Amino acid sequence: MQTAQARNAREGITGVVLYDDSRFFQWLEGPEDGVERVMGSIRNDRRHTDLEVLSHHASPARRFDGWDMKLAARGIDPALWQGDVLEPPREIINDLRQRPAAAPNLLAKLIPLSGATGDSPLVKSLAGKSLGSATASILKDVLLTTVIPLLLHRRGWSAADAQHVLENPRAPELAELLVASDQAASLDLIRELRGEYVEARHLFAPLFEPGARSLGDLWGDDFCSEFEVTLGLCRMQTAIRLLGADTPRAVLSGVEPRVLIAPVPGEQHQLVAALDSEWLWSEGWSPQAEFPADDRALADLLSASWVDVLDLSLSAAFHREDRLPRLTRTIAQARRASLNPALVVVVGGRAFVEGGAVGPDVGADIASRTSLDVDRLMAQGMRTAGDARSRPAGSRRR
Ligand SMILES: Cc1cc2nc3c(=O)[nH]c(=O)nc-3n(C[C@H](O)[C@H](O)[C@H](O)COP(=O)(O)O)c2cc1C
């Protein structure tokens, strides 16, 4: 190990090697040519049999930054080593035995959260807490106390431009950086790309939305955990705040529609709700963001005050097709509870971008594929609902 560590240091290689009962799992990362040279040595080493490469890919950032090829093994006396030794948790060893192909993801779990994510207070407060209500309340705080008030933009692209948004080719790279150990690298990329767009919010559709889907793909490929996806989305929301805003928001003439924005109860990912809130705010609307714990809490909100449009969203990262039947029930209950008999329901999330689901599948009026279009769709939905209201009662939608 010590000879290997010295050579790896010369090659600029970091990583971890885990020993379990005559099998080794190793993660090597660094400059491509250095990794190739070390892999060549390992291949030629006749002490190994059945060498298998489980994953080999380019990555914009290190996951084991500062890790000088640590050894992870059970029952090793750390006193015999010079510090670079870890006792791997039993669950990781068990998982590796059952799913050796998932080793890249499982080895990444050896990175302690505190060391891997810097000193961000947001991340610190997430560390060690279960997902769900804790994350929801932290994200709610960030959204309501900092994200929305800071994002004061003037009107930008017209709705027609929304049809022509191209995904930024570096969105997948952003996703990898968001789950990498160095959070600063993802912010650097966002800052770099910020210059390509007229306003910070014009990054939403080409970068953040496809970046969120790429995060879901990293999870699907077993490259990162569900927690890391959530953390990545959370970092994205933090980045939106850090981008700042320098322009006043648009002023809408006439009566402002009342829009209630919420993740579907039970959905822990809130990026779509955050992007839609910020977009509408910058367009001069006054959306109300809520995080109802269950369908009843949502129904209570709708029966307590008038709402023109309800915007419900599923994860921007995960497909969530399995949640559509439940969403249908949520929407039916919301309509029953609403003071507004012509409530317009807009749904969003990855299921409606790629999954082929459309709004009426779940009892919604419209499915939004991007926050860039959400104000136009809502205005259109309200016009249609208004038309329906002026028709004879028998021909109304509800
Ligand atoms: C499980 C295991 C992991 C190893 N990892 C490394 C490594 O990360 N870096 C390295 O230089 N050698 C590593 N080695 C040693 C190499 O297999 C090889 O013996 C050494 O690099 C000398 O190669 P050379 O004769 O081509 O110089 C490892 C050996 C084992 C058994």
Side-chain angles (χ1 to χ4, degrees), residues 3-4 7-8 17 24 26 28 38 41-42 45 47-48 69:
T3 314
R7 162 132 182 246
N8 290 356
V17 55
F24 289 94
Q26 185 168 18
L28 289 157
V38 168
S41 293
I42 292 176
D45 187 336
R47 289 173 295 176
H48 298 132
M69 194 53 68

Side-chain angles (χ1 to χ4, degrees), residues 145-161:
T145 60
T146 42
V147 177
I148 292 178
L150 276 173
L151 282 165
L152 303 172
H153 298 290
R154 71 177 146 78
R155 263 178 197 278
W157 289 354
S158 69
D161 293 329

Side-chain angles (χ1 to χ4, degrees), residues 157-166 201-202 204-206 209 275-276 279 283 368-376:
W157 289 354
S158 69
D161 293 329
Q163 309 301 325
H164 308 293
V165 171
L166 292 178
R201 67 188 181 130
H202 291 160
F204 291 4
E209 290 169 358
L275 294 179
D276 284 0
W279 187 268
E283 287 294 323
S368 152
R369 296 161 61 86
T370 164
S371 62
L372 191 57
D373 216 12
V374 78
D375 55 322
R376 188 180 66 84

Side-chain angles (χ1 to χ4, degrees), residues 157-381:
W157 289 354
S158 69
D161 293 329
Q163 309 301 325
H164 308 293
V165 171
L166 292 178
E167 287 186 10
N168 191 295
R170 298 182 75 184
E173 182 183 340
L174 175 66
E176 283 208 27
L177 289 173
L178 286 165
V179 296
S181 53
D182 178 11
Q183 178 173 13
S186 61
L187 294 177
D188 286 347
L189 177 63
I190 292 168
R191 282 199 193 95
E192 183 189 332
L193 296 177
R194 163 74 184 86
E196 293 180 17
Y197 297 89
V198 184
E199 289 177 15
R201 67 188 181 130
H202 291 160
L203 285 164
F204 291 4
L207 188 67
F208 293 142
E209 290 169 358
R213 294 193 285 277
S214 295
L215 274 175
D217 293 341
L218 289 178
W219 172 81
D221 295 343
D222 233 348
F223 188 75
C224 67
S225 64
E226 186 169 344
F227 179 78
E228 286 173 295
V229 173
T230 305
L231 197 59
L233 294 173
C234 189
R235 286 172 164 183
M236 221 189 257
Q237 284 181 235
T238 310
I240 295 166
R241 183 190 64 196
L242 294 177
L243 281 175
D246 38 16
T247 45
R249 66 189 276 236
V251 178
L252 274 191
S253 54
V255 182
E256 279 184 15
R258 302 271 317 256
V259 182
L260 177 64
I261 300 188
V264 175
E267 172 59 70
Q268 75 207 26
H269 292 166
Q270 297 153 11
L271 187 78
V272 178
L275 294 179
D276 284 0
S277 296
E278 287 154 20
W279 187 268
L280 288 174
W281 182 264
S282 65
E283 287 294 323
W285 301 44
S286 297
Q288 179 190 353
E290 291 288 344
F291 301 84
D294 51 26
D295 288 355
R296 168 120 302 277
L298 177 66
D300 287 347
L301 287 167
L302 290 159
S303 59
S305 60
W306 180 272
V307 170
D308 291 296
V309 183
L310 171 64
D311 175 343
L312 283 175
S313 52
L314 285 165
S315 174
F318 293 149
H319 291 276
R320 300 287 201 226
E321 271 77 5
D322 57 319
R323 299 203 183 171
L324 296 179
R326 152 118 204 248
L327 174 56
T328 310
R329 291 195 294 276
T330 303
I331 292 174
Q333 189 173 343
R335 287 198 191 278
R336 278 196 299 275
S338 175
L339 295 179
N340 177 0
L343 178 74
V344 174
V345 181
V346 176
V347 284
R350 188 168 185 175
F352 299 98
V353 178
E354 290 176 346
V358 293
D361 289 347
V362 290
D365 297 86
I366 302 163
S368 152
R369 296 161 61 86
T370 164
S371 62
L372 191 57
D373 216 12
V374 78
D375 55 322
R376 188 180 66 84
L377 290 178
M378 285 180 180
Q380 182 187 313

